Amino acid sequence: MSTQIQDLRALVESVQEDVVRWRRHLHMNPELSFQEEKTSQFVYDTLASFGAYELSRPTKTSVVARLIGKEPGPVLALRADMDALPITEENTFEFVSKNPGVMHACGHDGHTAILLGVAKALAGLKDQIRGEVRFFFQHAEELFPGGAEEMVKAGVTEGVDAVVGAHLWASERVGKVLVKAGALMAAPDAFYITIQGKGGHAAHPNETVDPIVIGAQVVLNLQHIASRNVDPLDPIVVSVCQFHGGTAHNIIPNSVELVGTVRTLNPALRDRVPELMERIIRGVTEAHGAQYTFRYERGYRPVLNDEAVTDKVRAALIEAFGDEGVQEAKPTMGGEDFSAFQAAVPGTFFFIAAGNPDKGIVYPHHHPRFTVDEDALPIGVEAFLNIVAKFNGLA
């Protein structure tokens, strides 16, 4: 093990208790997207206590911290998200949410605590850093249009050469990090369909244009996009998640509403999907004498990791954890607004494994009993410190 790795590991150990304490405080005090006022103030005050950072508030509930070294060099941005979800927590540990109906059910409390730990560890190394390390404590990852887009519009990426973010990942056992160049996470788009038919008594269906039957055919035929219209090696998900219609057991309604999501990794395919969908919706409804309205909303961009930045991050992580501690990440059809930063500057996003069946930490993200193995927190701190050393040097 190199001297630098040993020194960085000692720094991790020096902040480990703080990171766990911060994570638990944040877990007990969750705030929803665009409402992170106390959370962002806690982050601001904690960063101010380190005495080494230039701090700003680019939006109402976000924080940017700048650690500017004495020597010239690259500007590396590190990102953590801070918002919670509208979920009632069902965990029973001592630091459960104190805010009814609001919960950190995706690990953002851990992300924020990890980056605070990195900031504290680096505060004493300001004179050894070449260039600048810029910290993005971002609001509203969970709610479109997302906080990342707002922060970019506020100018936080100006002068940044590379941006790196990470997500605690409960589906993988704690003890490793997962990295991948290229497409990692999907664009989470949404669609809204109204099918207008002609209602009537269920005893006389011949006198109606039944939107429920037509809607059922639309649901089934939309699956032809994935199975027959798209290259089978090009991932896509088309899911109808809501089907609303009818008020009685014996009345055929006038209309139904369908709501769902489309997930794609390929930007070109993403652009094609609305046309493919509308062709199917139009064909089915016209065949049965109904009308429709169709609205397609583009969500976050897909997370597309820059190859050069990813290679550098992977090398830093292998130096820290060895080949056995760094694995190739599998793409996921979940979405992440980190992609807004990547649209502005080259960047990469990686996963920090945080599940542990031995401790009962098996629940998926956004579940009322979701949590992370806190052994993943120092791994996250060490990962980011080694990335900083790789990009900026710690002379």
Side-chain angles (χ1 to χ4, degrees):
M1 185 186 298
S2 71
T3 302
Q4 186 179 68
I5 295 296
Q6 289 177 323
D7 291 345
L8 293 179
R9 197 153 289 172
L11 280 175
V12 174
E13 292 175 1
S14 73
V15 301
Q16 184 168 341
E17 290 186 5
D18 289 327
V19 172
V20 171
R21 176 169 52 85
W22 291 328
R23 183 256 166 168
R24 294 185 177 189
H25 168 82
L26 293 164
H27 193 89
M28 285 192 291
N29 298 277
E31 294 178 297
L32 296 174
S33 303
F34 298 103
Q35 300 175 32
E36 309 93 331
E37 294 185 11
K38 292 180 180 178
T39 301
S40 59
Q41 190 62 50
F42 171 81
V43 168
Y44 187 96
D45 292 342
T46 303
L47 290 164
S49 73
F50 302 154
Y53 289 89
E54 295 182 9
L55 303 178
S56 62
R57 303 293 296 268
T59 69
K60 182 180 179 183
T61 56
S62 66
V63 182
V64 169
R66 300 179 65 187
L67 187 67
I68 302 173
K70 282 189 173 181
E71 299 296 328
V75 179
L76 173 67
L78 308 179
R79 175 268 203 168
D81 41 10
M82 303 186 293
D83 54 327
L85 287 155
I87 294 173
T88 298
E89 183 160 13
E90 295 178 4
N91 286 313
T92 57
F93 41 64
E94 66 275 13
F95 53 92
V96 295
S97 170
K98 296 191 297 185
N99 296 339
V102 185
M103 176 190 175
H104 271 295
C106 200
H108 298 187
D109 50 343
H111 303 164
T112 301
I114 287 170
L115 219 58
L116 285 173
V118 176
K120 183 174 184 180
L122 289 177
L125 302 177
K126 181 175 181 179
D127 292 343
Q128 297 172 245
I129 290 173
R130 292 191 291 270
E132 175 187 339
V133 183
R134 195 175 298 181
F135 294 79
F136 297 160
F137 289 90
Q138 181 209 314
H139 61 305
E141 186 279 327
E142 297 285 1
L143 187 63
F144 187 79
E149 191 75 29
E150 284 195 348
M151 292 183 73
V152 170
K153 289 179 179 177
V156 302
T157 56
E158 292 177 8
V160 172
D161 296 299
V163 60
V164 178
H167 206 300
L168 291 163
W169 209 240
S171 61
E172 295 285 345
R173 180 182 283 271
V174 67
K176 58 192 173 186
V177 292
L178 303 102
V179 187
K180 182 187 182 303
L184 181 69
M185 302 187 75
D189 297 339
F191 62 84
Y192 304 83
I193 305 167
T194 299
I195 298 173
Q196 184 70 43
K198 177 185 176 185
H201 200 287
H204 307 288
N206 56 302
E207 297 175 0
T208 73
V209 177
D210 188 340
I212 290 179
V213 172
I214 298 168
Q217 292 183 54
V218 169
V219 172
L220 292 175
N221 278 276
L222 286 176
Q223 299 312 307
H224 284 256
I225 294 174
S227 66
R228 291 296 178 270
N229 298 134
V230 172
D231 186 330
L233 299 179
D234 202 351
I236 182 172
V237 171
V238 181
S239 293
V240 177
C241 301
Q242 297 181 42
F243 194 133
H244 302 289
T247 56
H249 77 281
N250 61 347
I251 300 295
I252 294 172
N254 284 312
S255 65
V256 297
E257 294 182 355
L258 311 179
V259 181
T261 186
V262 174
R263 306 295 174 108
T264 51
L265 296 170
N266 181 340
L269 174 58
R270 184 190 190 193
D271 291 339
R272 286 181 57 211
V273 169
E275 180 183 349
L276 293 171
M277 290 185 67
E278 187 155 17
R279 186 175 68 189
I280 289 170
I281 298 163
R282 182 190 307 115
V284 172
T285 53
E286 287 183 354
H288 297 282
Q291 287 81 45
Y292 73 92
T293 60
F294 172 56
R295 178 163 57 92
Y296 191 94
E297 289 187 355
R298 291 167 68 93
Y300 303 145
R301 305 167 185 87
V303 172
L304 305 175
N305 286 339
D306 179 83
E307 186 170 352
V309 176
T310 303
D311 287 347
K312 208 166 184 178
V313 166
R314 181 185 285 108
L317 297 176
I318 290 174
E319 288 177 13
F321 305 117
D323 290 327
E324 68 284 354
V326 181
Q327 296 186 7
E328 185 77 0
K330 296 179 180 178
T332 172
M333 302 310 276
E336 238 287 353
D337 82 334
F338 181 79
S339 54
F341 295 120
Q342 292 176 307
V345 295
T348 197
F349 196 68
F350 67 98
F351 297 145
I352 303 165
N356 193 336
D358 296 340
K359 298 180 181 179
I361 300 174
V362 297
Y363 296 95
H365 296 256
H366 294 211
H367 189 282
R369 293 190 64 187
F370 172 86
T371 190
V372 298
D373 189 332
E374 291 180 333
D375 289 344
L377 302 179
I379 293 173
V381 175
E382 187 170 356
F384 277 113
L385 286 177
N386 278 275
I387 290 166
V388 171
K390 177 64 70 175
F391 278 81
N392 297 84
L394 293 173

